[in-house]
Amino acid sequence: MSENKGASIEEKLYTIRYKVDDISHLIIKDQQVCAKCPTKECNDFCPADVYSWRDLTTQVAFENCIECGTCRLGCPDYNIEWVYPKGGHGITYKFG
């Protein structure tokens, strides 16, 4: 049984090591598409809360990304470009 069972999402995210790049690997292709999106689903489907709607744009906290790829499929307009972080950057899982 995992020692993280029952832990909050914040506690689970703490078990991930990040080496953040200076350049985002998550790109909103067109902010106008986001502005016209009636549901703003990206604010809800990302388990790491990377996306938020503020000041009439989608904000991207790419440094929190756990590289699950949900955003590649979750945006109904495929308006999020997701690429792997460049070599040596991204996440490392501490536990299995």
Side-chain angles (χ1 to χ4, degrees):
M1 184 179 293
S2 171
E3 66 182 63
N4 285 336
K5 188 171 183 173
S8 71
I9 187 69
E10 290 82 13
E11 291 170 323
K12 290 179 180 178
L13 288 174
Y14 184 74
T15 67
I16 299 172
R17 289 190 185 147
Y18 295 89
K19 183 172 181 192
V20 180
D21 194 357
D22 294 334
I23 301 170
S24 178
H25 65 286
L26 305 169
I27 298 117
I28 302 297
K29 296 177 187 176
D30 184 350
Q31 284 287 353
Q32 291 302 313
V33 171
C34 295
K36 294 175 185 174
C37 178
T39 59
K40 312 282 189 273
E41 294 175 37
C42 62
N43 294 301
D44 299 317
F45 61 59
C46 177
D49 291 327
V50 168
Y51 303 94
S52 61
W53 181 252
R54 290 191 320 252
D55 302 323
L56 302 177
T57 62
T58 298
Q59 304 293 312
V60 181
F62 70 93
E63 62 277 359
N64 295 340
C65 180
I66 59 173
E67 300 174 26
C68 68
T70 301
C71 56
R72 291 187 289 184
L73 305 172
C75 176
D77 294 308
Y78 301 100
N79 194 38
I80 300 171
E81 182 178 341
W82 186 101
V83 296
Y84 284 104
K86 70 180 179 184
H89 293 86
I91 62 169
T92 302
Y93 294 98
K94 293 181 188 176
F95 300 108

